[in-house]
Amino acid sequence: MMRLYGKKILITGATSGIGFASLKRCIEEGAFIIFTARNAEKVNQTQQLFPKQCLGFVHDSSDFSKLESLADFLIQHHIELDAVFLNAGNVLHASFGQWTENMFDQVFDTNIKAPFLLLQILKNRLHPHCSVVLCGSTSIHIALEQSSVYAASKIALRSLVKTLSRELLNEKIRFNLLSPGPTATAALDKVSTSEQERQALKTQIQNLVPIGRLAEATEIADAFIYLASDESRFVIGTELLVDGGVANL
């Protein structure tokens, strides 16, 4: 029996990296996926790969003027959600002293403000027992150089899954945080503003992993399958670390 058979699941930022791996794994487990990304060409390409098993929507999570368009899209297609993976994020890293107000706002707007406001808008499209998964980061547990603003935005999500789980407890909607460790995706190329800093930071990150390698995106996706499935129905308001031991060893 497929673990997500018949479930309708929303995944944001789903055309690359962890989001795309999660989309593929959910489809393999029998789910129908509603997915978003900013790039229309990539949305179309992904839609063509799985024409009967997903429905794509071009959407920028950080454009607050258009957040309601996603809810309208779900209503238009008569879709209520059994699980949500708010995976879209901004991974900008920079040294203290290099941050501008605009850079700071970009990270916080995408990583915490957008998920919170989007969840408010989507609340009436969530089935009872819906599993909402926010994408965290093992960076919230370690003092990685240049990660100050990024890690601060992700630790805010850690608080959010606790408070919203309590606030919506009677509505049987549960929230959890999925925190990947260093993962081999294109996002690693965006963690800094110069090539020299980027390469130095990537080497530093890889050396942090006790298991001695980066995660594959499919390994993070497998953890999302668990959180989206009924297997995790007793898991609420917590964080699942999938980080090769970075935070604990």
Side-chain angles (χ1 to χ4, degrees), residues 7 14 16 71 105 154 213 228-230 238-239 245:
K7 290 186 181 292
S16 64
D105 287 346
K154 291 296 187 177
R213 64 173 176 84
S229 74
D230 293 339
T238 193
E239 178 185 16

Side-chain angles (χ1 to χ4, degrees), residues 120-139:
Q120 285 196 140
I121 291 168
L122 294 179
K123 181 174 174 291
N124 291 334
R125 309 309 300 170
L126 306 181
H127 265 152
H129 302 287
C130 180
S131 172
V132 178
V133 179
L134 306 184
C135 189
S137 171
T138 196
S139 294

Side-chain angles (χ1 to χ4, degrees), residues 7-223:
K7 290 186 181 292
K8 294 182 175 65
I9 298 176
L10 169 66
I11 302 175
T12 65
T15 57
S16 64
I18 291 169
F20 183 67
S22 298
L23 179 147
K24 289 176 63 179
R25 285 289 294 114
C26 286
I27 288 173
E28 291 168 1
E29 293 291 348
F32 182 84
I33 306 302
I34 303 88
F35 72 95
T36 73
R38 292 179 297 178
N39 186 299
E41 182 179 356
K42 290 185 177 181
V43 169
N44 290 333
Q45 289 173 349
T46 302
Q47 182 70 68
Q48 291 171 14
L49 286 173
F50 310 101
K52 296 182 180 180
Q53 298 149 302
C54 66
L55 188 60
F57 183 63
V58 180
H59 189 257
D60 183 351
S61 298
S62 63
D63 186 347
F64 304 121
S65 67
K66 296 181 180 178
L67 288 181
E68 290 191 7
S69 64
L70 180 54
D72 293 340
F73 181 76
L74 296 175
I75 292 170
Q76 176 187 347
H77 289 88
H78 309 288
I79 293 171
E80 293 187 339
L81 300 168
D82 300 292
V84 175
F85 188 16
L86 297 185
N87 166 71
N90 186 310
V91 297
L92 181 62
H93 285 56
S95 298
F96 186 69
Q98 295 181 342
W99 285 91
T100 65
E101 182 179 0
N102 183 58
M103 291 164 63
F104 185 100
D105 287 346
Q106 285 179 27
V107 174
F108 265 75
D109 282 354
T110 304
N111 291 356
I112 182 65
K113 186 176 178 180
F116 181 82
L117 295 178
L118 183 59
L119 284 170
Q120 285 196 140
I121 291 168
L122 294 179
K123 181 174 174 291
N124 291 334
R125 309 309 300 170
L126 306 181
H127 265 152
H129 302 287
C130 180
S131 172
V132 178
V133 179
L134 306 184
C135 189
S137 171
T138 196
S139 294
I140 70 178
H141 299 282
I142 57 176
L144 181 65
E145 291 182 13
Q146 302 184 30
S147 72
S148 55
V149 175
Y150 172 75
S153 72
K154 291 296 187 177
I155 204 165
L157 292 178
R158 177 69 184 91
S159 176
L160 203 60
V161 301
K162 294 174 70 69
T163 54
L164 291 183
S165 288
R166 170 60 67 181
E167 189 167 346
L168 299 180
L169 197 62
N170 290 336
E171 300 185 43
K172 303 185 187 305
I173 298 171
R174 57 192 178 90
F175 295 81
N176 289 291
L177 191 70
L178 173 56
S179 291
T183 306
T185 70
L188 273 181
D189 294 328
K190 303 176 183 178
V191 296
S192 193
T193 54
S194 73
E195 182 61 26
Q196 182 178 2
E197 286 185 350
R198 188 175 299 120
Q199 291 302 322
L201 187 59
K202 286 172 69 173
T203 299
Q204 181 185 2
I205 290 171
Q206 185 162 352
N207 289 340
L208 286 173
V209 186
I211 205 171
R213 64 173 176 84
L214 302 183
E216 298 294 332
T218 53
E219 293 175 302
I220 312 302
D222 285 339

